Amino acid sequence: MKIVRTIASIVTLTVLAALVGTAIAVPAEPAVVDTSTISILAAGTLSITAPANVNLGSTRASGTLTGSLGTVTVSDTRGNLVAAWTATVSSTDFTTGPATPAATIGKANIRYWSGTATATSGVGVFIAGQGTASSAVVLSTTRTAFNLTAGVGNNSASWKPTVIVTVPATALSGTYTGTITHSVA
């Protein structure tokens, strides 16, 4: 656009010089200054962290255990102009000894609720999968734990999910172990 204006100004000056009969110096072509800036961000990552081991306590057959899994954190350092992610949670069956029916607490007996965010950073809409205990979901299938929509740039979210385990009446006594997995994509 500057070049077009400069050319139009030169033409106007040349016409005036011919009419007046006086020599007018034509300005030299203006220097073009590039003022655009390009920022290159280092490639970041999308990651999730959660406690490695949690002891939910003990109860009897037909009892219920409720406990916190500790803080789960998603960190997104990819710097995307349009950032979005979904954290999911899944579970294995909990077993003691041989995986017989009496020695298994099936994942259908394990409920989960994320609770609301305990901390967030960055720009975006942070949405809890299950904000309250009344919206706890059964972990018989993979569930959404938390997500980010309409994000911009780097961001993070932390939450402290709660697990509710209903022990079947036929359960053997013993220490049951299982794996609850958080993932993010």
Side-chain angles (χ1 to χ4, degrees):
M1 205 62 152
K2 288 183 179 180
I3 294 174
V4 173
R5 282 190 194 149
T6 304
I7 291 172
S9 297
I10 292 171
V11 171
T12 304
L13 289 173
T14 304
V15 172
L16 288 176
L19 293 175
V20 176
T22 316
I24 298 177
V26 178
E29 191 161 321
V32 177
V33 178
D34 184 3
T35 58
S36 38
T37 304
I38 297 174
S39 297
I40 300 175
L41 297 174
T45 60
L46 177 62
S47 63
I48 190 165
T49 58
N53 295 303
V54 176
N55 183 338
L56 295 176
S58 61
T59 191
R60 57 177 168 62
S62 299
T64 300
L65 285 172
T66 301
S68 172
L69 292 180
T71 301
V72 177
T73 301
V74 170
S75 178
D76 183 356
T77 60
R78 298 173 296 174
N80 292 343
L81 284 177
V82 180
W85 49 258
T86 299
T88 57
V89 59
S90 61
S91 180
T92 64
D93 292 337
F94 281 53
T95 59
T96 186
T100 63
T104 302
I105 300 172
K107 53 189 171 182
N109 291 347
I110 302 165
R111 292 183 296 144
Y112 173 100
W113 63 286
S114 59
T116 58
T118 57
T120 61
S121 69
V123 175
V125 180
F126 298 91
I127 304 167
Q130 310 76 31
T132 63
S134 63
S135 56
V137 292
V138 174
L139 290 183
S140 56
T141 187
T142 300
R143 303 293 187 157
T144 297
F146 229 91
N147 65 24
L148 169 79
T149 61
V152 178
N154 295 342
N155 58 77
S156 67
S158 297
W159 65 96
K160 289 182 84 171
T162 300
V163 173
I164 305 157
V165 180
T166 303
V167 180
T170 57
L172 297 175
S173 62
T175 300
Y176 287 76
T177 58
T179 302
I180 295 177
T181 303
H182 286 89
S183 304
V184 66

